[in-house]
Amino acid sequence: MLIYSILFLLLSNAVTLRRDKSILFSRVAIIVLINSSILAMFNLLIENFFTGIGLFGGLFHTTCITQIFQIFIFLVSAVIFQLTAFYPRRVLIEKYSSLSKLIFYKFLYYKTKILNKMGEQFKIIEYPLILLFIITGATFLVSTSDLVSIFISIELQSYGLYLLSTLYRNSELATSGGLTYFLLGGLSSCFILLGTGLLYANSGTTNLDGMYVITSLSDLANDLTNNLLYWYKSYYINFSLLILSVGFLFKVSAAPFHFWSPDVYDAIPTIVTTFVAIVAKISIFIFLLELVHYTSNSLFNFQFSWTSSLLVSSLLSLIIGTVVGLTQFRIKRLFAYSTISHVGFILLALSINSIESIQAFIFYLMQYSISNLNAFIILISIGFSLYFYINDNREYKELPDKNNSPIQLISQMKGYFYINPILALSLSITIFSFVGIPPLIGFFAKQMVLSAALDSGYVFLALVAILTSVISAVYYLNIIKQVFFDKSEYKINPELQNINLHGNIIKNSVLVEELTFKTNNIILSSSLTITISVLTLIILLFIFIPNEWLSMANILALILFNS
């Protein structure tokens, strides 16, 4: 489904003349992703699925975990596509807002700035095509089972992300951010290539299953007898995997390889940041899940294990993501350090590698992706909702690239509660979930990781995680304070306050009525408001429907350990 749709979009891009077709391409991409997720769902019904099925001579394998996360990637990507598949604002006329009238009547008006039709994101026809390439790379990486397919998948995903970052041709900031990402991403790919080369040199196989067998045999040989594989030392593969993990930690912006992410997140347009910050991480973490599980569960080897490096990275991510985040005044840089802190929690759960910790890892990854998605969509919606207001602050007027990223500073949201209280409440619920305040979904995720860490004897790391969570509440609550308790600096634009706008109600190509409406009839579009409502309710009401999520995480962890 994905590959056919990429081919058709390539052909469509080749023959289209109008740049504004991109909105239709994004809608096509949403349909493609929903179809792909339905196909992946049917694959879950295959018999003997618990043990997994090898594809293409062992290059890929598919199991319940890979299918569930492919469906998750498809659905998250479909939600992100909504940002470019629908205009951000619409006109609400109460008289014609009933369901029957919405279906049979059409409302025409000619002020394109009302809807932001000329926004840069609606002029880029390549956007959905590049995103589909990245999603293809992500789904391949989730299912990869060979050193060759690892590198091909990660590069297919990464090249798309570099292109995506520099896609806004009129933005100097985005170009510099994309180049930074490209250069440092290329460096991390070198580590991955070096790691895979050493693994092949040490094991003589490119297949991961074969490598897992050799690891177990070499451990057995080193501990029980010196005759079998006498030339071989188990730490050869450990050091190779350590180098490989450096490349992947670079890609997920885990400390101490995090330094590129705040600059890149801040420089590229917010709509692009939403995708780069979420989907790129899910696929790498699921690949690391199986790699950690099958290479660290040795019964015979008591020497150094490469997963110890993940624990060190987890500790550094928790500390750096929290402490450096305290000094940030730009909202997307703050979200970048917040992500680094949460990556610390995810790596902690991953490194422990017990049934409880893998359950916590799967649950944490899903809930954090949803919370982060909601935070970015709210940030974009706040930017679109301020069209009616002006701000005399010179600093805001001089912000670079403000057309593509309207909200760049935390102080730009001062007093936003008095402009749009419902959107401000949704933002506060999402931020409280990041902090880990009960009964929101983020609390249960953190509690599961900490419980797994304490059960496995990682008391020091659990204490650091608790302390950093408390400290990170400071910068999160600073956003809440500015949104709810500071005085708003925005004033209604006097030029727009009394202006009359005109439109026509049409039915079956016949003019029914000419209407006059005011600027306060212009509201956020349904695609944004419904998405934010659903995501916020998932975060808020998780306590009433926990069984499905927790049971799924538990079953996936049990399948991994029993297979």
Side-chain angles (χ1 to χ4, degrees):
M1 175 64 74
L2 277 172
I3 290 166
Y4 272 130
S5 52
I6 285 172
L7 289 170
F8 285 129
L9 273 178
L10 271 169
L11 291 169
S12 307
N13 282 358
V15 299
T16 189
L17 293 172
R18 290 173 52 189
R19 304 294 295 178
D20 59 351
K21 292 275 186 194
S22 72
I23 197 161
L24 301 176
F25 289 157
S26 291
R27 290 175 188 178
V28 169
I30 291 174
I31 296 165
V32 165
L33 290 169
I34 291 169
N35 274 331
S36 299
S37 58
I38 291 167
L39 284 175
M41 222 171 274
F42 282 134
N43 289 345
L44 283 169
L45 306 175
I46 295 172
E47 270 188 76
N48 301 326
F49 205 66
F50 290 160
T51 52
I53 296 166
L55 303 170
F56 304 113
L59 281 178
F60 298 97
H61 70 112
T62 181
T63 63
C64 284
I65 291 177
T66 63
Q67 290 303 106
I68 291 286
F69 275 94
Q70 281 180 14
I71 293 167
F72 186 65
I73 288 169
F74 293 146
L75 294 178
V76 166
S77 304
V79 172
I80 295 170
F81 263 120
Q82 283 192 306
L83 298 172
T84 50
F86 301 96
Y87 294 121
R89 295 190 282 263
R90 66 188 177 96
V91 177
L92 178 70
I93 305 292
E94 287 189 22
K95 183 179 170 186
Y96 288 96
S97 60
S98 67
L99 188 61
S100 60
K101 289 188 175 175
L102 283 172
I103 293 168
F104 296 110
Y105 290 81
K106 194 184 277 186
F107 184 38
L108 288 182
Y109 43 90
Y110 303 102
K111 296 278 184 186
T112 55
K113 285 189 178 179
I114 292 173
L115 293 188
N116 192 43
K117 276 187 180 180
M118 305 312 289
E120 183 76 8
Q121 69 269 31
F122 302 121
K123 296 183 192 172
I124 305 171
I125 55 174
E126 302 87 356
Y127 180 81
L129 184 62
I130 291 170
L131 250 63
L132 286 180
F133 271 113
I134 299 168
I135 294 160
T136 308
T139 51
F140 282 173
L141 185 60
V142 165
S143 301
T144 190
S145 183
D146 196 279
L147 294 176
V148 177
S149 56
I150 288 172
F151 192 70
I152 290 170
S153 306
I154 194 74
E155 288 309 290
L156 179 58
Q157 176 178 299
S158 299
Y159 285 157
L161 289 169
Y162 307 147
L163 287 172
L164 195 64
S165 302
T166 54
L167 206 56
Y168 285 66
R169 298 177 186 85
N170 65 347
S171 169
E172 191 180 325
L173 264 180
T175 308
S176 67
L179 278 171
T180 307
Y181 192 16
F182 169 62
L183 292 170
L184 295 173
L187 178 64
S188 68
S189 295
C190 291
F191 279 104
I192 293 171
L193 205 53
L194 176 61
T196 52
L198 289 172
L199 282 171
Y200 177 63
N202 287 330
S203 62
T205 177
T206 59
N207 194 282
L208 291 182
D209 289 341
M211 199 183 70
Y212 301 150
V213 171
I214 289 170
T215 312
S216 303
L217 282 175
S218 61
D219 292 341
L220 182 63
N222 285 321
D223 283 333
L224 299 183
T225 159
N226 290 323
N227 298 324
L228 179 67
L229 292 174
Y230 66 92
W231 55 270
Y232 195 85
K233 297 287 183 283
S234 61
Y235 56 76
Y236 291 169
I237 282 189
N238 262 324
F239 284 131
S240 307
L241 286 168
L242 179 64
I243 293 168
L244 186 73
S245 71
V246 167
F248 281 112
L249 291 174
F250 219 106
K251 299 276 187 195
V252 296
S253 70
F257 313 105
H258 65 284
F259 44 85
W260 60 270
S261 67
D263 295 333
V264 172
Y265 282 21
D266 196 36
I268 59 182
T270 311
I271 285 175
V272 177
T273 314
T274 310
F275 195 85
V276 173
I278 298 166
V279 176
K281 291 182 173 47
I282 299 171
S283 56
I284 293 172
F285 276 125
I286 297 305
F287 165 71
L288 282 175
L289 169 63
E290 299 208 351
L291 193 66
V292 168
H293 177 70
Y294 290 116
T295 55
S296 66
N297 255 7
S298 170
L299 297 172
F300 301 101
N301 189 19
F302 300 102
Q303 297 170 353
F304 161 79
S305 171
W306 74 278
T307 50
S308 309
S309 64
L310 297 182
L311 284 170
V312 174
S313 179
S314 167
L315 177 66
L316 290 172
S317 298
L318 286 166
I319 294 168
I320 290 171
T322 301
V323 175
V324 184
L326 292 170
T327 61
Q328 302 306 314
F329 59 90
R330 294 181 71 86
I331 185 72
K332 282 195 288 180
R333 287 182 78 88
L334 181 68
F335 278 169
Y337 282 108
S338 157
T339 300
I340 293 164
S341 174
H342 287 283
V343 163
F345 271 96
I346 293 170
L347 284 173
L348 176 58
L350 183 63
S351 312
I352 295 165
N353 194 32
S354 64
I355 290 181
E356 190 185 358
S357 76
I358 298 304
Q359 182 185 353
F361 166 82
I362 290 168
F363 180 66
Y364 201 108
L365 188 57
M366 283 188 160
Q367 72 80 25
Y368 180 66
S369 301
I370 286 171
S371 301
N372 216 13
L373 178 60
N374 199 32
F376 275 110
I377 293 176
I378 290 170
L379 197 61
I380 291 163
S381 301
I382 289 172
F384 286 136
S385 68
L386 292 174
Y387 71 96
F388 195 33
Y389 296 85
I390 53 170
N391 197 319
D392 296 327
N393 192 319
R394 214 174 89 189
E395 187 185 6
Y396 301 160
K397 289 178 182 174
E398 293 172 358
L399 283 173
D401 206 24
K402 62 182 179 186
N403 289 334
N404 296 325
S405 301
I407 304 293
Q408 296 179 29
L409 307 173
I410 298 171
S411 57
Q412 279 180 278
M413 296 192 287
K414 272 184 185 173
Y416 186 75
F417 176 72
Y418 301 103
I419 295 171
N420 190 330
I422 295 173
L423 208 52
L425 280 169
S426 293
L427 179 64
S428 65
I429 288 166
T430 308
I431 285 173
F432 281 139
S433 178
F434 283 156
V435 178
I437 289 174
L440 303 175
I441 196 168
F443 165 75
F444 294 101
K446 285 189 175 181
Q447 183 253 336
M448 286 167 74
V449 173
L450 294 170
S451 169
L454 289 171
D455 284 353
S456 300
Y458 295 93
V459 178
F460 175 69
L461 273 169
L463 284 172
V464 170
I466 292 166
L467 279 171
T468 51
S469 280
V470 172
I471 296 166
S472 67
V474 174
Y475 60 70
Y476 287 128
L477 292 174
N478 179 42
I479 302 175
I480 303 286
K481 171 193 163 274
Q482 297 212 26
V483 169
F484 284 86
F485 301 107
D486 284 7
K487 191 179 174 186
S488 175
E489 296 178 356
Y490 290 97
K491 297 177 204 153
I492 292 174
N493 189 340
E495 291 178 16
L496 296 176
Q497 197 164 10
N498 298 314
I499 195 169
N500 287 325
L501 299 164
H502 304 283
N504 298 326
I505 299 288
I506 291 171
K507 184 181 182 183
N508 300 330
S509 303
V510 177
L511 179 66
V512 175
E513 186 181 352
E514 291 185 3
L515 282 176
T516 303
F517 60 95
K518 299 278 191 184
T519 44
N520 56 4
N521 286 100
I522 304 165
I523 59 168
L524 284 173
S525 72
S526 303
S527 65
L528 287 173
T529 51
I530 291 170
T531 304
I532 291 168
S533 305
V534 170
L535 293 175
T536 307
L537 287 172
I538 289 171
I539 294 166
L540 184 63
L541 303 179
F542 167 76
I543 194 168
F544 296 111
I545 46 162
N547 291 343
E548 289 76 12
W549 283 57
L550 295 176
S551 299
M552 182 179 69
N554 197 16
I555 290 164
L556 291 177
L558 285 168
I559 288 169
L560 185 67
F561 274 81
N562 290 332
S563 61

